[in-house]
Amino acid sequence: MRALYLNILALGFVLNFVWEMVQMPLYAGMARRPPGQTTLICLRATAVDVSVLLVAFWLLILVGRIHRPWIVEIAIPRVVQFTLVSFVLGVALELIATRLLHHYTYDVTMPRLPVFDLGLAPVLLWLLLPPTILSIADWRAGTLRMEP
């Protein structure tokens, strides 16, 4: 189980870092920054993203919806639960960072959703990456089960 957990963390880091680097030009002023500075900003954002994945994982354990070995026997409903919790946490952090703390703003090139005027790229991140990460980790372990 520990190896699979670390695999999920590693996949989470790699996939989130790639996503952050690709979406970075959609944030105001980022396209003009030096590559090294952009990379550091993306590494920090990736650390937050991976933290969200960990918090979602442990929240699901703590609320008793799943027990710890769920990660070894990933089932479709559990992947959905993990994705939904990650999505809620990730979108909440995006709202806090853009609206409350003003850490960054979207560039005019960022497609936006009418709901909360959120950027499409960060919303898609939280809809696509959590299930992708778990699916790849599961594929490597061969543990996907369809029943809850």
Side-chain angles (χ1 to χ4, degrees), residues 67-80:
H67 60 323
R68 190 170 181 156
W70 82 275
I71 201 165
V72 175
E73 298 177 354
I74 297 172
I76 296 302
R78 293 181 184 129
V79 171
V80 171

Side-chain angles (χ1 to χ4, degrees), residues 43-103:
L43 284 171
R44 186 178 69 188
T46 299
V48 171
D49 295 345
V50 171
S51 297
V52 167
L53 294 174
L54 288 175
V55 168
F57 172 75
W58 290 109
L59 274 176
L60 287 172
I61 290 170
L62 290 173
V63 298
R65 294 287 301 143
I66 53 176
H67 60 323
R68 190 170 181 156
W70 82 275
I71 201 165
V72 175
E73 298 177 354
I74 297 172
I76 296 302
R78 293 181 184 129
V79 171
V80 171
Q81 290 171 359
F82 181 73
T83 301
L84 287 175
V85 172
S86 298
F87 176 80
V88 168
L89 292 172
V91 168
L93 285 175
E94 185 73 12
L95 285 169
I96 290 168
T98 57
R99 300 287 157 55
L100 225 57
L101 303 176
H102 305 287
H103 279 301

Side-chain angles (χ1 to χ4, degrees), residues 13-140:
F13 180 83
V14 170
L15 293 179
N16 277 287
F17 181 72
V18 169
W19 188 285
E20 292 293 347
M21 290 296 289
V22 169
Q23 77 171 356
M24 192 52 61
L26 298 174
Y27 289 88
M30 294 298 174
R32 295 182 302 275
R33 291 182 186 258
Q37 190 177 24
T38 300
T39 301
L40 288 175
I41 291 168
C42 288
L43 284 171
R44 186 178 69 188
T46 299
V48 171
D49 295 345
V50 171
S51 297
V52 167
L53 294 174
L54 288 175
V55 168
F57 172 75
W58 290 109
L59 274 176
L60 287 172
I61 290 170
L62 290 173
V63 298
R65 294 287 301 143
I66 53 176
H67 60 323
R68 190 170 181 156
W70 82 275
I71 201 165
V72 175
E73 298 177 354
I74 297 172
I76 296 302
R78 293 181 184 129
V79 171
V80 171
Q81 290 171 359
F82 181 73
T83 301
L84 287 175
V85 172
S86 298
F87 176 80
V88 168
L89 292 172
V91 168
L93 285 175
E94 185 73 12
L95 285 169
I96 290 168
T98 57
R99 300 287 157 55
L100 225 57
L101 303 176
H102 305 287
H103 279 301
Y104 47 83
T105 57
Y106 301 132
D107 191 76
V108 294
T109 58
M110 170 74 84
R112 296 186 192 196
L113 299 174
V115 179
F116 300 117
D117 195 33
L118 274 173
L120 180 61
V123 170
L124 287 177
L125 178 150
W126 293 112
L127 287 175
L128 300 175
L129 289 192
T132 301
I133 290 162
L134 289 180
S135 297
I136 293 171
D138 169 68
W139 171 74
R140 292 175 53 87

